[in-house]
Amino acid sequence: MEKLLQQSEGLVTRTLSPKRRYLFDQVNWKNRLIGIKGARGTGKTTILLQRLKSLDLPPTVAAYFSLDDLYFTVHPLSQVVEKFYRQGGKYLFLDEVHKYPAWSAHIKNLYDFYPDLNIVFTGSSIIDIVRQEADLSRRALMYELFGLSYREFLEFSEIGAFHPISLDTLISPAREWRRGFPTDFRPLQHFRDYLQFGYYPFSLEGKEGYGARLNQLIRTIVEYDMAELHDFDIRNAKKMLQLLYVLSANVPFKPNLKMLAEKSGIHRNTVNSYLHFLEQARLIRQLYPAGISVAILQKPEKIYVDNTNLAYALHPGEPDKGNLRETFFASQLRVSHQLTYPSHGDFLVDENYIFEVGGKSKGNKQLQHIPNGFIVADDTEYPISQLPLWVFGFLY
């Protein structure tokens, strides 16, 4: 127990970054049970430690435990928490909970047994809280942490600090959001760097070796994290990786399940299920037709890799520019908005707004008779009749 508390204190002491992710201020820290899920590498652990440091309490009162620590292979979580509580513990931060057997049942019991203990836990994005045997959905306030937005990338890279822009403000004809940028701000100057290197916070440590780290991250998610899924046979991890690489060479496209099955070696009847697993792991994004309920066995209209950094890491050369545009747009919008595939245009957002994404010469002919239709143009700073693609990176 003392070892865990010493580790917790050391980690908090070494947490120096004053900059916080967008989610930090959105979390209702007063809630007694909070869950934060997200893909590997998005910064869940850092948020826990920053919150713990902001409490400014001794480790006997507020502590961080990582449940993938070997300590918990021989020391039951229930006994550790009981001792922590009896010594005056009030705030408990549990990281990597999905690595602990029957984790949801244990957290439920901690919540019920210690009514004045505040618990924050993190887990992989592949966790489906609703499907857990213990009904955490009634108890836990759940959040999901996504990768860096373009706005956050600029701030964390010490390039410039800007406030988020809501979608309603962004599409307003008044274009009032332009006033939030100084006249000398060049929005495209660092945009290409973001597309290739800026989504995962560890990119801030340097570009060298970033692609190799991303490929290792992908393998770890597929070969290690997906072992926690009850419906996934880990012996098929190699086929899952093959499927992902096949997708990366073709997306975005209307999937041909027969072709995907043949090239990945996965039985055609299970391809949709594997696509669902990849999406839960935040490695791909599936776009379904507007007006149709989403089900695991339904074929998506389009498939994208989850973010543009993955597009570069998985593609042997330069990714298709049109692919990058749409992938960026989808990755920034999906954090707070619903995306579906419309009969006209590229994206239907919140069942209300239609967006067509293209280059700077993109015309509005396709959407000129469609209410709430907008053209999004790449490679342009402040177009008159269009919306610049880069500004959608300021939504969070």
Side-chain angles (χ1 to χ4, degrees):
M1 179 67 176
E2 292 302 317
K3 174 190 172 184
L4 289 179
L5 295 181
Q6 289 175 5
Q7 288 178 346
S8 175
E9 186 174 31
L11 287 169
V12 172
T13 300
R14 292 191 294 272
T15 302
L16 302 175
S17 175
K19 293 183 174 61
R20 295 170 175 173
R21 294 296 314 282
Y22 74 96
L23 191 63
F24 190 96
D25 293 326
Q26 295 180 9
V27 173
N28 179 9
W29 296 110
K30 294 181 181 179
N31 203 68
R32 199 162 66 81
L33 182 60
I34 297 168
I36 300 175
K37 67 177 184 176
R40 275 184 177 267
T42 51
K44 300 184 298 296
T45 300
T46 300
I47 277 191
L48 290 194
L49 294 174
Q50 287 178 329
R51 171 57 181 169
L52 182 52
K53 187 162 189 171
S54 71
L55 292 173
D56 195 23
L57 295 170
T60 53
V61 179
Y64 165 93
F65 300 156
S66 179
L67 297 193
D68 65 350
D69 193 304
L70 291 177
Y71 184 91
F72 289 101
T73 61
V74 292
H75 297 86
L77 176 63
S78 58
Q79 293 182 11
V80 173
V81 175
E82 180 183 10
K83 186 174 182 181
F84 171 71
Y85 180 79
R86 293 188 182 282
Q87 291 181 352
K90 293 183 178 180
Y91 298 91
L92 184 60
F93 296 82
L94 300 176
D95 207 1
E96 301 284 357
V97 296
H98 58 288
K99 298 303 178 184
Y100 193 82
W103 64 271
S104 58
H106 286 285
I107 289 180
K108 172 186 175 296
N109 290 337
L110 296 178
Y111 177 89
D112 293 338
F113 295 163
Y114 306 107
D116 55 345
L117 180 65
N118 294 271
I119 303 171
V120 183
F121 66 91
T122 76
S124 167
S125 59
I126 63 175
I127 292 176
D128 186 349
I129 298 298
V130 178
R131 294 177 61 190
Q132 301 304 315
E133 292 181 5
D135 187 11
L136 287 181
S137 61
R138 292 189 297 107
R139 295 170 170 82
L141 191 58
M142 291 299 306
Y143 298 89
E144 180 163 5
L145 179 65
F146 293 90
L148 294 174
S149 66
Y150 183 41
R151 182 193 69 84
E152 289 183 302
F153 171 73
L154 293 174
E155 180 177 353
F156 282 42
S157 301
E158 306 286 350
I159 295 168
F162 306 95
H163 295 293
I165 303 170
S166 71
L167 182 60
D168 287 340
T169 299
L170 197 157
I171 63 177
S172 171
R175 300 287 196 269
E176 294 180 357
W177 53 265
R178 291 187 57 175
R179 301 175 185 173
F181 297 100
T183 56
D184 61 346
F185 174 60
R186 302 274 72 88
L188 300 180
Q189 183 177 357
H190 305 282
F191 189 53
R192 299 301 155 189
D193 276 352
Y194 171 80
L195 295 181
Q196 187 169 0
F197 304 107
Y199 188 78
Y200 296 93
F202 59 80
S203 67
L204 301 171
E205 300 171 13
K207 298 178 183 178
E208 186 176 353
Y210 181 67
R213 290 186 67 177
L214 271 189
N215 274 282
Q216 183 57 50
L217 181 74
I218 293 166
R219 298 191 68 94
T220 301
I221 291 172
V222 173
E223 298 175 346
Y224 185 57
D225 292 348
M226 285 189 176
E228 312 301 325
L229 289 170
H230 295 300
D231 300 329
F232 179 65
D233 187 344
I234 195 61
R235 292 174 296 182
N236 291 326
K238 184 177 180 180
K239 292 182 178 180
M240 181 71 86
L241 287 170
Q242 288 176 327
L243 175 60
L244 183 59
Y245 280 100
V246 169
L247 289 171
S248 69
N250 294 277
V251 296
F253 70 175
K254 187 172 183 177
N256 181 324
L257 298 187
K258 182 180 179 181
M259 182 273 287
L260 289 177
E262 291 175 350
K263 290 192 174 183
S264 64
I266 299 172
H267 194 280
R268 181 175 178 178
N269 293 342
T270 59
V271 168
N272 266 339
S273 294
Y274 276 52
L275 292 175
H276 176 70
F277 293 147
L278 286 173
E279 184 168 43
Q280 279 194 294
R282 300 299 180 252
L283 291 175
I284 67 169
R285 169 77 185 181
Q286 301 185 87
L287 197 64
Y288 293 92
I292 299 178
S293 61
V294 177
I296 292 178
L297 298 180
Q298 180 186 338
K299 186 172 72 171
E301 190 69 27
K302 276 189 176 183
I303 300 177
Y304 300 87
V305 289
D306 182 78
N307 59 79
T308 57
N309 288 193
L310 290 179
Y312 275 98
L314 292 168
H315 200 278
E318 182 77 13
D320 177 76
K321 202 166 187 179
N323 175 10
L324 288 176
R325 292 166 182 155
E326 293 184 32
T327 299
F328 169 78
F329 185 88
S331 72
Q332 305 296 294
L333 268 291
R334 59 91 184 272
V335 174
S336 301
H337 300 276
Q338 178 188 12
L339 295 176
T340 52
Y341 186 75
S343 56
H344 299 282
D346 293 319
F347 298 95
L348 176 63
V349 178
D350 298 335
E351 300 183 353
N352 192 19
Y353 308 111
I354 293 179
F355 293 90
E356 177 81 18
V357 182
K360 62 181 178 181
S361 60
K362 186 75 173 179
N364 63 350
K365 184 177 180 180
Q366 290 175 279
L367 302 182
Q368 60 182 347
H369 299 301
I370 298 178
N372 292 332
F374 302 90
I375 299 296
V376 180
D378 192 12
D379 295 322
T380 183
E381 291 189 343
Y382 301 99
I384 302 300
S385 60
Q386 304 162 322
L387 291 167
L389 179 63
W390 63 265
V391 78
F392 288 87
F394 285 73
L395 289 174
Y396 70 96

